[in-house]
Amino acid sequence: MNILGFESSCDETGVAIVNTEKGLLAHALHSQIDMHQAYGGVVPELASRDHIRRVLPLCYDVLKNAGLAVSDIDAVAFTAGPGLSGALLVTASVAQAFAWSHDLPTIPIHHLEGHLLSPMLAPEVPEFPFVALLVSGGHTQLMRVDGVGQYELLGETLDDAAGEAFDKSAKLLGLPYPGGPHLASLAEGGEADRFQLPRPLKHSQDLDFSFSGLKTAVLTTLRKLEAQGAVSEQDRADLAAATQAAIIDVLGYKAIKAMKQSGLKRLVVAGGVGANRQLRDFLDRETQRLGAKVYFPPLALCTDNGAMIAHAAAERIKAGLVDLSARNYSHRIRTRWDLAEL
């Protein structure tokens, strides 16, 4: 079966086609980074309008690149939440209209389930069960995954997500949006040991996270530097390196702790922060010490994309969780949606 998938939960428009037997056939992605940079963050109304402009041309590109006609599509999947309401409505409307016009089944997909299963698009596929670290601009969670649709929340952030900590700290350092990659780049020339930043909740008894205090510590440190005179480029690089080290230390420590508590030997990392090279190196090293293995999605599929949505739909079909005989074209979007509800 060929599954056409749409994603537009925030500031990327993604379309892809996944075959339930052959895997990913084609995908196309448009990022709105350039458009939102002038505002220092995502402007929801602008994001929605840009999704409207991009989604159909991307759909045509994907069909062409896959060498398929519209008649070759067997089902249509789309992100139903969580995300920005206006952005979600764009591809939810397009996907359901497409499916209705061709009498195809629709498959609403949870955005985080798409991320969760995206490492299965890599050449080396993890087997169930595994611990998953979902880490992005809006979400930081640890999950136990026993199969498709079988998710248990182990811990989550109580305030800012790790991606927010990256982005907000980068903004304090005068870096452009999106801040995370720019902070990681600046940190390459810095000394992480120069500034002692806190590791919130690192040694708590649970598997929860907290990053808002770290952002405050970065601001306090920066103000102290400013009070001493002009902040040099080396000062900024050292503070960026310290910030990145603090975030990765907490993420890595809690992920390994979750593996030890669960007794599982496989760790899956997904979401935009999963592209961070320092995080990858840290978890590669620590899982090897544990006699375990860590799996990441391909770098190109760490950010939001249509491939993960189409793939999640394909996995749900193979797991028998989708009624392909049903024809429902009025699925509602959900800006907030607990993954454990699946």
Side-chain angles (χ1 to χ4, degrees), residues 213-225:
L214 176 61
K215 174 195 65 181
T216 302
V218 172
L219 176 60
T220 301
T221 304
L222 190 59
R223 285 178 173 170
K224 288 180 180 179
L225 289 171

Side-chain angles (χ1 to χ4, degrees), residues 6-342:
F6 294 91
E7 153 65 25
S8 69
S9 62
C10 190
D11 59 345
E12 276 107 5
T13 317
V15 184
I17 298 174
V18 167
N19 181 276
T20 51
E21 300 299 327
K22 299 177 181 178
L24 180 62
L25 301 183
H27 80 101
L29 182 69
H30 174 77
S31 173
Q32 300 176 356
I33 286 176
D34 291 343
M35 181 178 68
H36 295 297
Q37 271 185 340
Y39 306 96
V42 177
V43 181
E45 178 65 20
L46 294 180
S48 302
R49 292 181 182 223
D50 197 62
H51 289 313
I52 292 171
R53 292 209 321 267
R54 307 289 180 180
V55 62
L56 287 179
L58 288 176
C59 183
Y60 299 143
D61 287 345
V62 164
L63 285 166
K64 180 180 178 181
N65 293 337
L68 299 176
V70 170
S71 58
D72 295 317
I73 300 301
D74 299 298
V76 182
F78 63 94
T79 303
L84 301 175
S85 57
L88 289 168
L89 279 170
V90 175
T91 51
S93 301
V94 170
Q96 293 184 93
F98 183 101
W100 173 81
S101 64
H102 298 285
D103 191 30
L104 297 173
T106 54
I107 308 171
I109 295 295
H110 193 296
H111 179 78
L112 295 185
E113 183 175 43
H115 276 305
L116 189 67
L117 301 178
S118 63
M120 294 180 176
L121 290 165
E124 192 172 4
V125 178
E127 296 180 0
F128 299 113
F130 54 75
V131 171
L133 174 63
L134 293 173
V135 56
S136 67
H139 304 276
T140 300
Q141 297 178 328
L142 279 166
M143 307 286 297
R144 179 190 171 105
V145 180
D146 289 303
V148 178
Q150 301 175 47
Y151 312 125
E152 178 188 355
L153 180 65
L154 302 177
E156 62 183 339
T157 184
L158 304 180
D159 40 61
D160 287 354
E164 286 180 282
F166 268 111
D167 290 342
K168 291 178 179 178
S169 297
K171 190 172 184 178
L172 292 173
L173 290 168
L175 298 173
Y177 167 86
H182 291 286
L183 186 144
S185 178
L186 179 61
E188 291 181 5
E191 293 293 333
D193 295 336
R194 179 181 169 190
F195 300 108
Q196 299 303 310
L197 297 179
R199 271 66 168 164
L201 294 187
K202 178 180 176 180
H203 296 293
S204 64
Q205 297 302 307
D206 52 37
L207 293 171
D208 289 332
F209 302 90
S210 172
F211 292 105
S212 63
L214 176 61
K215 174 195 65 181
T216 302
V218 172
L219 176 60
T220 301
T221 304
L222 190 59
R223 285 178 173 170
K224 288 180 180 179
L225 289 171
E226 291 170 343
Q228 297 169 7
V231 179
S232 69
E233 189 65 17
Q234 190 60 51
D235 291 334
R236 295 171 67 247
D238 292 345
L239 187 51
T243 303
Q244 177 175 249
I247 296 171
I248 289 173
D249 189 17
V250 174
L251 290 174
Y253 183 87
K254 291 275 184 163
I256 297 300
K257 182 177 180 179
M259 296 182 73
K260 290 178 178 178
Q261 288 185 355
S262 66
L264 299 178
K265 294 295 185 179
R266 288 177 290 274
L267 173 67
V268 161
V269 181
V273 181
N276 183 281
R277 183 174 60 82
Q278 294 296 327
L279 178 62
R280 287 183 173 232
D281 290 345
F282 182 98
L283 290 174
D284 271 329
R285 182 174 64 251
E286 294 304 315
T287 50
Q288 285 180 24
R289 289 179 180 175
L290 195 63
K293 187 168 180 60
V294 60
Y295 299 83
F296 301 93
L299 280 173
L301 301 180
C302 283
T303 58
D304 298 348
N305 61 84
M308 69 182 194
I309 301 305
H311 172 71
E315 291 300 314
R316 293 186 73 81
I317 289 171
K318 288 189 284 187
L321 300 176
V322 176
D323 180 5
L324 293 173
S325 66
R327 295 295 184 269
N328 182 356
Y329 306 115
S330 59
H331 294 289
R332 66 188 182 96
I333 61 162
R334 301 176 65 174
T335 57
R336 295 182 179 274
W337 190 359
D338 187 347
L339 181 60
E341 292 179 17
L342 295 180

